[in-house]
Amino acid sequence: ALFDRTLDAMVDAKDGDFVFANFVEFDSLYGHLRDVPGYAKALEQFDTRLPEALERLRDGDLLIITADHGNDPTWTGSDHTREQVPVLCAGPAVTDRNIGTVGFADVGETLAAHLGLSPGAHGKAFYDRLERFPEAGTSSASGRRCAAALELEPVADLSPLEEKGRL
């Protein structure tokens, strides 16, 4: 149901709009409960629907898939295990799809840059690393849209866990 509503919102979005979907079940049902098989199954189900979102992206759209915090479901306990989040981006003009891990504030700064908003006090935008939109010499959000930011609880590269779970 949430994916369907997100797709509807993407279709209805106007220039300069921001659509945000938090797929919290990745966190509440799998991440904090350290349910790796459940997480994997849910991720596979999400992956089967992702092409529907990609098909709805229009010129000027930016799709960001990330998490609101890091959490390795193979680690002991139920607390968050990372300060950084993995980021994947898509859009008609996106040149770098796998951003890697960044601070969550960096995601916010990138969304602000995409929408033509002034930078905030925290984070560093990775916007210039991933798109090549035709520029008209303005930082206006005209003709630019942020189709969606989808939050999932990540299962990312586990190599940082070799250093006691800290990045």
Side-chain angles (χ1 to χ4, degrees), residues 62 64 87 89 99 102-117 119-120 122-131 144 146:
L62 173 63
I64 297 178
V87 175
C89 297
I99 300 303
V102 299
F104 191 56
D106 299 342
V107 175
E109 289 297 329
T110 301
L111 291 170
H114 178 71
L115 294 171
L117 303 174
H122 305 285
K124 179 173 172 38
F126 50 83
Y127 187 69
D128 59 340
R129 288 179 40 200
L130 57 90
E131 5 185 9
R144 292 185 176 178
C146 182

Side-chain angles (χ1 to χ4, degrees), residues 34 70-72 74-76 79-84 157-167:
R34 307 298 197 245
N71 199 24
D72 176 7
T74 66
W75 197 252
T76 58
D79 291 332
H80 303 163
T81 55
R82 295 191 177 103
E83 292 296 321
Q84 294 191 328
D157 177 8
L158 301 181
S159 60
L161 295 177
E162 295 173 1
E163 298 174 21
K164 303 185 181 187
R166 302 211 195 281
L167 289 175

Side-chain angles (χ1 to χ4, degrees), residues 54-101:
L54 297 174
E55 290 169 2
R56 284 166 175 77
L57 295 174
R58 295 176 282 202
D59 288 341
D61 283 356
L62 173 63
L63 173 70
I64 297 178
I65 301 172
T66 189
D68 63 339
H69 57 77
N71 199 24
D72 176 7
T74 66
W75 197 252
T76 58
S78 61
D79 291 332
H80 303 163
T81 55
R82 295 191 177 103
E83 292 296 321
Q84 294 191 328
V85 294
V87 175
L88 299 173
C89 297
V94 170
T95 59
D96 186 0
R97 296 182 183 274
N98 182 358
I99 300 303
T101 56

